[in-house]
Structure formats: C-alpha cells, structure tokens
Amino acid sequence: MPSTALARPLAAAGTAAVLLGILAVGALHVLPPTAEISPVRRTISEYALHETAWVFNLGVLVLALGSLAVSAALAYAGQLRIASVAGLGLLLWSLGLAAVVYFPKHDWAVGPSLDGHLHRVASLVAFLSLPVGALLVVLAWRRDARRRADVWLTALPALAALAMFGVIIGAFLLQPYTGVAWWRAIPLGAVERGLAVFEVLTVLALGRWAWRAATDERKGAFLTDVR
C-alpha cells in the first residue's frame, strides 16, 4: 500500500475524533452540574475541577489524538514534513493538550499549585503552536494553485486564533498601566472559548486539506495508470 493511501483514512479518523472531542467538551456547557459555570468569565479548564472532569479530560485527549492523526495525514499526503518547524508546531499542539489534562488548573478554593502553573504553560504552548504551525504549512503551499482553497480555509482561522491570543497577551501587558488584573480586564472565558473555536477550525481545515491532497494524488495515479 503506498503511503499516500493512509492519508485519507487518517484524515477522516482525525476529523471525526476532533468533532467527538469538541462535542464532549461542548456538552459540559449545557448539562448539569457544569452548566452553571459562566462561559464568559470562567476558563474551559474549570470543567476539570468538577465530578464530571472525566468527560472534559476524555474530550481533550480525543481532540489531541484526532489532531495528531490529522498531522500524520498531512505528512502521508506529502503536504507536511514532520521534521520541520511546522511539524513541530502541530505536534506541540497535541502534546500541549495532553499536558493540560495531566496537569489540572489552579483550584482557587485551595490556592495556586505547581500543577496549575504547568497547566497554564501547556495551554499557552498549545494555543500558540497550532496556528503558527498551520501558517507555516500555508506559507509553504501558498503558490500552489491546487491548494488555494486549502490555504485560505486554513489561514483565516489560524490568523483569527492568533488575534484572540493577542487579546489575552495585550491584557497581560497592559496590566501595569491599567491597574486591572489581566484576567478581569477581558471576558477571559469568552475570549478563550473564541480562541478554542478558531483552533479547532484550523485543525478541521488541515484535515480537509490532507483528504483533498490525498484524493488529488489518487486521481493523478489513476490517470497515469490509464495512460
């Protein structure tokens, strides 16, 4: 079996896993007891501090595995070199998500913890590395007419994710001048959820990219055989 033949099943499985992971985390927004958590002020990781934490953890891990499958699909489709900065960015996204689960956020009812600090670092790495890695893939293929739609569908959510990330960084940097704690200066929960939405859309766009590239390769091989 040629390596490109693995790209389509990996892209399909990865996309399905990403959607299932998001469905699991999304359900926590509307089902008790976590439905009472403010999506505007509280971060998504707050769901990991309740009795239904297993749903959150499972959803994030499935999202990480799905994203990893999408990265592999891109590599098998010949669109990504795993041993590259772009490949590293996509890998760090998946590893960062896994670390977010392994190291729970601060439980402020108890106080700050080492796990909470590591959780915050893992979140920053994950949220930043994915759009950067995706944009590097975009830059590598921006002049290929066959990939024009994939380039735009990937670049737009990746840039939007960086913009949302910039809102958080801006609030942090302005903290000494405004005198307002950065997590209070913005609706942190809403901004983080917006960031997460654009990150997921980026992964889905990459999954579509891998599928279409592998399909094009298959069609090309078929035409070659016919000739």
Side-chain angles (χ1 to χ4, degrees):
M1 176 186 292
S3 62
T4 52
L6 295 173
R8 296 208 322 168
L10 280 170
T15 298
V18 168
L19 292 174
L20 283 174
I22 292 305
L23 180 63
V25 176
L28 295 173
H29 288 69
V30 296
L31 297 177
T34 49
E36 301 302 317
I37 295 175
S38 170
V40 176
R41 284 293 171 185
R42 297 291 184 179
T43 63
I44 303 174
S45 296
E46 187 79 16
Y47 298 123
L49 301 180
H50 295 264
E51 57 266 35
T52 51
W54 68 271
V55 178
F56 171 83
N57 292 337
L58 181 60
V60 174
L61 288 176
V62 169
L63 171 59
L65 288 173
S67 300
L68 200 59
V70 166
S71 298
L74 281 170
Y76 277 118
Q79 306 298 292
L80 170 71
R81 286 190 302 107
I82 292 297
S84 65
V85 178
L88 178 62
L90 300 187
L91 177 62
L92 285 176
W93 157 253
S94 293
L95 292 178
L97 290 178
V100 162
V101 171
Y102 190 80
F103 301 107
K105 70 165 289 182
H106 297 303
D107 183 352
W108 292 110
V110 178
S113 64
L114 176 60
D115 281 355
H117 290 302
L118 294 174
H119 175 94
R120 184 172 292 175
V121 171
S123 299
L124 291 173
V125 169
F127 282 137
L128 183 59
S129 61
L130 172 64
V132 170
L135 288 174
L136 289 174
V137 176
V138 163
L139 287 173
W141 292 93
R142 67 189 184 283
R143 290 192 171 90
D144 190 327
R146 297 171 302 170
R147 304 273 71 88
R148 187 168 298 153
D150 299 312
V151 162
W152 281 107
L153 286 174
T154 303
L156 290 176
L159 289 171
L162 287 178
M164 298 297 287
F165 190 86
V167 172
I168 297 174
I169 297 300
F172 180 80
L173 294 177
L174 289 173
Q175 187 174 238
Y177 306 99
T178 62
V180 179
W182 66 271
W183 61 88
R184 296 185 184 278
I186 57 175
L188 182 58
V191 172
E192 188 189 60
R193 283 165 175 78
L195 171 58
V197 166
F198 288 123
E199 300 267 349
V200 169
L201 288 175
T202 301
V203 177
L204 293 176
L206 290 172
R208 176 186 183 274
W209 186 329
W211 175 276
R212 286 175 59 84
T215 301
D216 291 345
E217 185 69 24
R218 172 182 284 190
K219 288 178 180 177
F222 174 76
L223 291 175
T224 300
D225 291 341
V226 170
R227 290 170 186 168

